[in-house]
Amino acid sequence: MLKKCLAVLSITTLAASITACGSGGQSAGSSTAPAASMAPTVLADANKPKPEFKALLQYARFDPNTEVVAKFLNEKTGYKVTYDMLPVENPDDKLNLLMANKEQYAFMLLSGPQYSKLASSGALEPIDELVNKYGTNMKNVISQNSWNGAKLNGKIYGIPQTGSGTVVNSALIVRQDWMDELGLKAPTTRDELYNVMKTLKEKKNVMALSGGKSPLIPEILPTFGLTMVQTTLTTGWQDVNGKLVNAVENPNMKKYLEFTKKLYTEKLIDQEWSLNQANKVIENFTSGKAAIISNAYFNAPTVQNALLKNSPNAKISSLPYLKGDDGKVQVMATAGISFYVGIPKWADKKEDIIKYLDLKLDKDIHKEAAIGKEGVHHKVENGSYFPILPIFNDQYNNASSFLTGVDEKNYPIYWQARVRKDPILTDAFNKNQEASKGNVVVDPLSFAPPLEAIGKYNLKLQKLMEDTFLKYITGAEPLENYDKFLAQWKAEGGDEMTKAANEWYAANKK
């Protein structure tokens, strides 16, 4: 009965239900670090079987429970962990349901918005004391800057996980064989892109640009002066004369929507944009139905191999990053904290959970979990890491999905092997970084903590923005209603989010 009742609760009501029903596990700080005189007890504990855990990961196209890395971690740490993944479609809705049902996960890999929402609602356990007692490795290898970025009201609710530094993920890719056939030059401005798209549609009878779900195209937004870099690319703030302004309040957002609506009306972009998932977008490109897509470098091998299977003579190239109306190129890049590893408030054996997560950051375990054994999976040449193929691809292709925090000094060096595991991947990554050099823009809140107001309103306002913008683009609602949308966005939490963002920014900007 209780479980059925909880199923209808939203995340924002979890704090109340947790207080009423009690927590399934001990709270942080309920145990005491063992003293030297307690050695016999410690020895007895060490001989006890270690608990088994269930973890929740972000969506990916593989079964985590069959991976070499999962088996390695189980063997090396002595903890057996099994994994579930969020779905590709509506992951936040699924997460809400899992949390309302108090699903027994030991830990969860969460995006920034997910972490903010769960932490601010009281669904996650504060881990400060647990980390101080049992987190020796993580305290040594995770920077204070990152730990500060996991604080909410002075408490830490998750392990901050940074990645490989500042990285430009995506670029527009095009069927270069069609460009050559039609004598088209690579566009360098938005108007030139429009003309290329128009020619490709008319001459090849295809959709010029396929995409899906998000109404925001990361390679076109900056041409309107809209740089809004966050994990989702949908709720970012920009520094305008020293103050943070949300991109939805930038007058150029309406101009961006006018342009995108024009593309939709002229059938230059996918007419099922509002329905498409990422796999459908890739399928449209690789099957020859679309000429251009925005593609992340890590999808490059999948896309190229599938295309060549269908069209052996096809060629792909990356389009240049486009100049804005001011003649400048701006490219959005990711940096800072990528994910947070949270422990549900009701999880059992929280001390053991932290001990396990800390053990994963032991230097040798962490390195082997990331890139395998030297001489077997990778080699080192002049201080640089290179994968040994094909075994690296076979066994460590998905290793990064198992990270729960990284050695911030060494992991970016280890990570070099990951982008060298496939020549197609390496080429796509290098091209993105080289083409964007000197023009990269990073989210001013990259290392900001999960601000309470943003955690409270972010997901709701993101959905409002996405749904409304898709209606504008498809013509389901007139763009003349933009001011009405903006007023609703501000009234339903936008003003509070921007106020909180600016308070942090004023105190922390360099």
Side-chain angles (χ1 to χ4, degrees):
M1 180 69 181
L2 176 61
K3 187 173 181 180
K4 187 177 289 185
C5 177
L6 283 169
V8 300
L9 294 174
S10 68
I11 285 179
T12 53
T13 64
L14 281 174
S17 70
I18 291 164
T19 303
C21 302
S23 172
Q26 290 179 298
S27 62
S30 62
S31 60
T32 305
S37 60
M38 297 172 65
T41 304
V42 173
L43 184 60
D45 288 345
N47 291 328
K48 286 183 180 179
K50 292 181 178 177
E52 297 183 6
F53 297 135
K54 184 168 71 167
L56 182 65
L57 305 180
Q58 297 290 309
Y59 172 77
R61 298 187 185 113
F62 64 92
D63 178 359
N65 296 297
T66 64
E67 291 286 307
V68 166
V69 178
K71 295 173 183 177
F72 163 76
L73 288 170
N74 286 349
E75 179 183 343
K76 202 69 178 177
T77 66
Y79 292 88
K80 182 180 179 182
V81 181
T82 56
Y83 301 90
D84 291 340
M85 283 183 170
L86 289 172
V88 63
E89 190 168 358
N90 301 320
D92 294 329
D93 292 343
K94 179 65 174 179
L95 180 61
N96 289 355
L97 182 61
L98 292 170
M99 293 297 95
N101 282 317
K102 293 190 175 180
E103 192 70 27
Q104 285 298 311
Y105 290 112
F107 58 92
M108 306 176 295
L109 188 66
L110 303 169
S111 69
Q114 290 166 347
Y115 175 70
S116 298
K117 188 70 173 177
L118 294 181
S120 64
S121 70
L124 299 180
E125 180 73 15
I127 62 171
D128 305 72
E129 292 184 34
L130 289 168
V131 170
N132 283 335
K133 289 178 181 177
Y134 308 114
T136 304
N137 292 318
M138 60 180 73
K139 286 188 292 184
N140 287 336
V141 302
I142 297 174
S143 69
Q144 189 59 49
N145 198 27
S146 295
W147 286 115
N148 290 342
K151 284 185 179 178
L152 178 67
N153 293 329
K155 291 182 179 289
I156 295 171
Y157 292 85
I159 299 165
Q161 179 179 307
T162 59
S164 53
T166 302
V167 174
V168 174
N169 287 315
S170 70
L172 292 176
I173 62 171
V174 66
R175 283 289 298 269
Q176 186 60 44
D177 51 320
W178 292 351
M179 296 281 284
D180 294 340
E181 176 189 335
L182 300 173
L184 295 172
K185 294 181 179 179
T188 60
T189 66
R190 187 174 65 246
D191 288 342
E192 289 177 4
L193 175 65
Y194 169 78
N195 291 330
V196 166
M197 291 172 66
K198 198 171 174 64
T199 303
L200 286 166
K201 177 187 179 296
E202 291 172 354
K203 301 296 185 182
K204 299 301 296 182
N205 193 29
V206 294
M207 66 181 88
L209 175 67
S210 181
K213 283 299 187 182
S214 174
L216 305 177
I217 306 170
E219 294 79 20
I220 295 179
L221 278 169
T223 70
F224 290 91
L226 296 164
T227 52
M228 44 192 305
V229 187
Q230 275 194 348
T231 304
T232 57
L233 295 180
T234 54
T235 53
W237 278 260
Q238 302 173 267
D239 184 324
V240 179
N241 298 322
K243 290 190 175 182
L244 297 186
V245 177
N246 195 282
V248 300
E249 296 190 72
N250 188 319
N252 285 341
M253 181 58 79
K254 192 171 180 180
K255 295 178 181 178
Y256 165 81
L257 292 168
E258 287 172 350
F259 177 74
T260 316
K261 181 182 179 182
K262 177 183 177 182
L263 297 180
Y264 185 87
T265 302
E266 296 182 13
K267 297 186 177 179
L268 297 178
I269 62 174
D270 201 322
Q271 298 298 286
E272 297 190 355
W273 196 285
S274 61
L275 303 175
N276 289 342
Q277 298 292 341
N279 55 348
K280 180 62 176 177
V281 177
I282 290 174
E283 181 187 324
N284 284 339
F285 184 81
T286 59
S287 66
K289 295 178 182 177
I292 303 170
I293 60 171
S294 174
N295 194 53
Y297 73 86
F298 41 80
N299 286 330
T302 299
V303 172
Q304 183 163 318
N305 291 331
L307 175 63
L308 292 178
K309 183 177 180 181
N310 294 326
S311 305
N313 296 320
K315 294 180 182 178
I316 299 175
S317 67
S318 298
L319 295 179
Y321 294 107
L322 304 173
K323 297 176 185 175
D325 295 333
D326 59 1
K328 297 179 181 178
V329 174
Q330 290 183 296
V331 185
M332 299 188 291
T334 56
I337 299 169
S338 304
F339 296 103
Y340 297 85
V341 183
I343 299 174
K345 190 79 174 175
W346 48 86
D348 292 323
K349 299 182 173 66
K350 296 185 179 77
E351 294 88 350
D352 275 298
I353 295 169
I354 290 293
K355 288 177 183 177
Y356 168 71
L357 296 173
D358 189 68
L359 192 54
K360 287 180 66 180
L361 286 169
D362 169 84
K363 186 173 183 180
D364 292 335
I365 294 175
H366 178 55
K367 183 177 182 180
E368 186 166 342
I371 56 172
K373 291 182 172 67
E374 185 173 349
V376 177
H377 301 99
H378 71 268
K379 58 186 177 180
V380 184
E381 296 178 359
N382 299 320
S384 297
Y385 289 81
F386 293 85
I388 296 174
L389 302 175
I391 192 170
F392 186 93
N393 283 346
D394 293 342
Q395 298 188 354
Y396 278 80
N397 193 51
N398 302 312
S400 59
S401 293
F402 294 91
L403 294 173
T404 49
V406 301
D407 180 335
E408 295 183 7
K409 178 181 178 181
N410 290 305
Y411 181 73
I413 302 171
Y414 303 156
W415 186 80
Q416 296 170 12
R418 302 204 61 75
V419 295
R420 296 177 178 133
K421 65 184 180 179
D422 183 300
I424 301 171
L425 175 70
T426 306
D427 184 60
F429 175 81
N430 289 340
K431 282 180 177 176
N432 286 4
Q433 312 322 307
E434 187 63 32
S436 62
K437 190 177 291 184
N439 299 305
V440 169
V441 179
V442 174
D443 182 6
L445 295 182
S446 290
F447 282 96
L451 304 172
E452 185 174 2
I454 294 177
K456 183 177 181 181
Y457 299 112
N458 183 45
L459 293 180
K460 178 182 73 172
L461 293 184
Q462 176 184 314
K463 189 173 191 311
L464 172 67
M465 182 276 294
E466 288 181 344
D467 291 348
T468 306
F469 283 12
L470 286 169
K471 289 177 183 177
Y472 292 152
I473 291 169
T474 60
E477 185 174 336
L479 192 49
E480 288 74 21
N481 287 349
Y482 192 86
D483 289 344
K484 179 181 175 183
F485 152 76
L486 193 55
Q488 182 182 357
W489 184 89
K490 290 181 176 182
E492 294 186 2
D495 279 343
E496 289 185 49
M497 291 201 306
T498 303
K499 180 175 181 290
N502 273 290
E503 286 176 353
W504 177 86
Y505 194 57
N508 291 277
K509 67 180 176 180
K510 298 176 181 179

